[in-house]
Amino acid sequence: MANPLINFSLILLQAVCVIAVAALLFSRSRYFTDVLEGLATWKSRLVLIIFFGALSIYGSIIGINTSGVIINVRDLGPMVGGLACGPLVGLGSGIIGAVYRFSEGGFTALACSINVTLAGLLGGLIYLKKGRFPTVAFTVIFAVLFEILHMVLTVAFSRPIDLAFAAVKQAVGPMVVANGVGILVFAFIITNVIAERETKRERDSYQLELQKKQAELAVAADIQKSFLPERIPTIDGFEISATNIPAREVGGDFYDFIQQDGNLQFLIADVSGKGVPAALFMALSRIIMRACQAPNDGAAERLRCANNMIMSNSGSGTSGMFVTLFFAKLSEKDRRLVYSNAGHNPPLLFKASTGSIEALEVTGPVLGMMEEMEYEQRTIALESGDILLLYTDGIVEAMNAKEELFGLQRLRSSLSSAKRLSAQEIQDSILRDLKQFTEGEEQSDDITVMVIKAEW
Amino acid sequence: MSKMEILHSHIDNIPVLSVSGKIDAMTSRDLEVALVDLINQNKKILIVDMANVVYLSSSGLRVLMASLNELRKGDGDLLLASLQPFVKDVFSLTGAIRFFSIYPNPGEAIKAFKSKTDDL
């Protein structure tokens, strides 16, 4: 005859397979989900008690009767029920298992009944103490120790003691192995399900957060677009064109037009930083530039006012943000342009008469750094065919794959070669040259261009 | 190929960043990282030695101004030293010269800073 330890263990392992299926069913059931989420109802608890109770009865039936001792996996159901669902389920299913075992009789009936009840109760108490299903290793060790206790109690409660001792001697090995393996399967499946749910929950909440952020950014982008002029104004004797291409959903570049009694005021600006902070500061700067509008003040006064207002309103000292801004007033009547430049990239002026390009240099510091800054203003006359090109960093500092910058030189030649075109075409031509240069490299900064051309 | 290099040193426990090369759109990001790093370490006073800076773009200037603002918020300061003519032009043309304390060399910067704190 083969080694009885191996023989019994194999039969009990067959039971473990049934238990594995039970474990899968249980772990995917709505009742266990309820327990995991702390939403277990009396009904789901009752279902679980019956389930693990039935598993315990099955563990008895599959058992191998040897010298009046049934080698079995009766304890397994209530043990898992307790560990996974708490003392109520553990105890309840344990009592079911105990009643069945007691009804079978035999000289270890009392001891075994006590044992199976205790298995459920102890499992439940561990759950209560830990607040969740323990680790796989802990669970297996618990099962092994419990089976040893089971044997000790059987000896203690069964008479005649020498018979009990003999039975236990034969049963201890197979019972420890079978229950140990059984609970390993259970614990493995349950912890897997718990981990899976955890991951899914994290992923879901992350995705929800992402979706929310994206929706918010889309709204922010819409709002920011509304801060840019809806259409380009028309003014007699000039062609005007402008565009803004943010690098992200929202950006810090902007331009604006204000039309007033035969005059056109326009500005281009670039806020420090990126993303939402820059977008908010952009909105503030735009409103302040409009608020500082006073009928008789020049361009320099406008920037002085804006700078002081930004300093006092935004607490720029705390936000640490600033904005470069070029502001100009163009008179329709005599084509004179009065401008003031607060640290912005000097706009380029193509002179049709000479074919040369001048730069409208900075006439004061950037806005938002320090209070009480002074600005100068300059006046120039625009003549037929002259082209004024305003732009932001995003153009001259656009980079290609070789890490070369587009640069002022390329911008100048791009402007020169487009001199005969209309304002819109000049803008398109410059953007096309830029695109050709960067060859599909990702745009890292906002791009804004404005072209004003004096008609012939 | 590195267009800009930053050397870290200390004079009297004050961090000195010696920058050399071109500070443009790309390299200014590295300068920003270096400055923000020191600011995050709670350094109040930083010195940027620009003796070997041959080019400064508007993005580089933005980085310096942002750090200056950040430091002044905490009653600190960003001291600039040894500006070469081209770089100095960038500061004066953009008006940024008015925001910064600029010194002929790092030693002068520290002396000026110390005499100021002694007064307090």
Side-chain angles (χ1 to χ4, degrees):
Chain A
M1 193 182 157
N3 185 338
L5 180 76
I6 295 175
N7 218 5
F8 294 152
S9 297
L10 276 178
I11 294 170
L12 290 176
L13 282 175
Q14 285 170 13
V16 167
C17 293
V18 174
I19 285 161
V21 174
L24 266 176
L25 281 176
F26 159 72
S27 67
R28 300 283 165 187
S29 74
R30 170 164 72 79
Y31 306 108
F32 181 51
T33 313
D34 287 350
V35 170
L36 278 183
E37 305 202 327
L39 300 169
T41 58
W42 286 104
K43 191 189 148 208
S44 56
R45 287 203 184 95
L46 190 66
V47 170
L48 290 168
I49 287 171
I50 294 170
F51 175 83
F52 285 110
L55 206 60
S56 175
I57 293 174
Y58 170 78
S60 290
I61 294 171
I62 196 77
I64 304 147
N65 198 325
T66 164
S67 337
V69 184
I70 302 168
I71 298 173
N72 63 84
V73 286
R74 183 190 310 119
D75 297 344
L76 191 60
M79 215 185 283
V80 175
L83 286 170
C85 311
L88 197 77
V89 172
L91 190 62
S93 54
I95 289 170
I96 292 177
V99 168
Y100 178 81
R101 174 64 190 92
F102 199 74
S103 71
E104 279 192 314
F107 77 100
T108 58
L110 178 67
C112 288
S113 304
I114 293 172
N115 276 327
V116 67
T117 312
L118 201 59
L121 186 62
L122 277 181
L125 290 178
I126 287 170
Y127 172 90
L128 216 56
K129 178 113 201 321
K130 296 219 164 212
R132 57 178 175 79
F133 193 78
T135 63
V136 174
F138 182 96
T139 316
V140 172
I141 290 168
F142 169 68
V144 168
L145 289 178
F146 185 80
E147 284 314 301
I148 292 166
L149 177 70
H150 181 146
M151 297 303 153
V152 173
L153 288 177
T154 303
V155 173
F157 280 91
S158 306
R159 295 293 174 271
I161 199 157
D162 51 340
L163 208 60
F165 193 75
V168 159
K169 218 174 121 191
Q170 195 168 25
V172 64
M175 296 253 311
V176 164
V177 171
N179 281 289
V181 173
I183 207 151
L184 177 70
V185 171
F186 241 115
F188 185 72
I189 290 172
I190 290 174
T191 47
N192 246 328
V193 167
I194 292 172
E196 220 171 78
R197 290 177 56 85
E198 201 68 21
T199 320
K200 187 173 177 303
R201 190 170 37 234
E202 269 167 32
R203 196 179 50 218
D204 285 356
S205 81
Y206 172 75
Q207 251 165 9
L208 201 71
E209 189 70 14
L210 204 71
Q211 271 171 10
K212 219 168 84 185
K213 281 213 174 104
Q214 271 164 350
E216 282 173 357
L217 264 186
V219 173
D222 278 348
I223 293 173
Q224 190 171 37
K225 271 195 205 96
S226 75
F227 290 155
L228 292 174
E230 220 168 280
R231 47 180 190 274
I232 308 298
T234 50
I235 169 168
D236 274 353
F238 292 94
E239 291 171 0
I240 303 170
S241 160
T243 188
N244 167 262
I245 311 162
R248 304 196 208 165
E249 284 86 348
V250 294
D253 276 11
F254 68 102
Y255 62 89
D256 202 3
F257 294 107
I258 302 163
Q259 231 169 341
Q260 199 188 35
D261 338 313
N263 281 315
L264 176 72
Q265 302 174 7
F266 58 91
L267 66 88
I268 187 166
D270 186 352
V271 168
S272 65
K274 287 193 165 67
V276 173
L280 288 172
F281 199 74
M282 167 261 178
L284 175 84
S285 309
R286 175 179 185 264
I287 291 162
I288 283 179
M289 275 305 284
R290 284 185 167 238
C292 279
Q293 194 175 350
N296 298 315
D297 285 346
E301 181 52 32
R302 185 73 159 269
L303 292 190
R304 210 181 74 82
C305 165
N307 180 52
N308 287 341
M309 210 184 269
I310 288 173
M311 290 307 294
S312 58
N313 273 283
S314 73
S316 194
T318 52
S319 75
M321 299 187 79
F322 51 87
V323 54
T324 67
L325 191 147
F326 176 92
F327 173 77
K329 283 180 169 180
L330 177 62
S331 147
E332 196 179 70
K333 197 172 70 214
D334 53 10
R335 290 186 160 191
R336 280 153 68 86
L337 182 88
V338 181
Y339 72 88
S340 196
N341 184 350
H344 192 78
N345 296 61
L348 299 178
L349 175 63
F350 175 83
K351 294 298 293 177
S353 55
T354 60
S356 63
I357 294 177
E358 298 166 13
L360 306 189
E361 295 296 347
V362 169
T363 64
V366 301
L367 307 179
M369 282 293 286
M370 254 186 211
E371 261 174 305
E372 300 304 330
M373 290 287 110
E374 292 301 326
Y375 296 85
E376 288 171 26
Q377 65 184 38
R378 307 228 164 101
T379 306
I380 52 170
L382 292 181
E383 290 155 359
S384 295
D386 286 359
I387 305 160
L388 185 60
L389 168 66
L390 298 87
Y391 61 94
T392 55
D393 270 6
I395 292 204
V396 281
E397 305 209 331
M399 219 179 290
N400 66 11
K402 284 178 262 174
E403 296 190 339
E404 294 163 338
L405 302 173
F406 187 67
L408 202 51
Q409 220 36 59
R410 283 190 187 83
L411 183 61
R412 279 169 169 264
S413 35
S414 189
L415 171 60
S416 292
S417 62
K419 63 191 175 196
R420 289 187 212 293
L421 304 176
S422 72
Q424 178 70 52
E425 287 165 341
I426 292 168
Q427 177 184 300
D428 294 346
S429 166
I430 288 169
L431 290 175
R432 207 164 36 239
D433 287 350
L434 183 71
K435 203 170 171 184
Q436 203 167 18
F437 173 79
T438 55
E439 289 173 324
E441 278 295 293
E442 201 190 341
Q443 181 191 337
S444 67
D445 198 1
D446 304 336
I447 288 173
T448 303
V449 196
M450 189 191 294
V451 178
I452 296 176
K453 184 171 185 180
E455 287 169 350
W456 292 94
Chain B
M1 187 191 73
S2 174
K3 288 186 285 185
M4 183 195 76
E5 270 179 35
I6 303 174
L7 286 176
H8 292 257
S9 62
H10 285 88
I11 302 180
D12 292 352
N13 263 331
I14 294 171
V16 180
L17 294 180
S18 303
V19 187
S20 57
K22 287 172 133 187
I23 308 178
D24 60 24
M26 190 182 54
T27 58
S28 65
R29 289 172 210 167
D30 300 335
L31 179 61
E32 186 172 22
V33 169
L35 286 166
V36 168
D37 213 38
L38 287 167
I39 293 169
N40 287 343
Q41 287 169 34
N42 248 337
K43 304 286 184 203
K44 295 263 177 249
I45 304 292
L46 300 181
I47 295 175
V48 180
D49 181 357
M50 304 180 82
N52 296 312
V53 173
V54 294
Y55 175 79
L56 176 70
S57 78
S58 56
S59 52
L61 189 61
R62 277 167 182 275
V63 166
L64 291 173
M65 287 199 283
S67 295
L68 175 71
N69 269 348
E70 200 60 36
L71 285 163
R72 288 208 173 141
K73 223 160 70 180
D75 287 324
D77 206 353
L78 182 76
L79 313 178
L80 301 179
S82 327
L83 270 56
Q84 295 308 297
F86 173 83
V87 173
K88 199 157 194 170
D89 280 353
V90 174
F91 277 89
S92 36
L93 283 175
T94 56
I97 202 157
R98 286 178 241 192
F99 310 139
F100 289 94
S101 316
I102 297 173
Y103 302 93
N105 55 59
E108 288 291 324
I110 287 188
K111 211 155 68 180
F113 163 70
K114 287 217 160 143
S115 69
K116 215 195 291 179
T117 47
D118 286 348
D119 288 348
L120 301 170

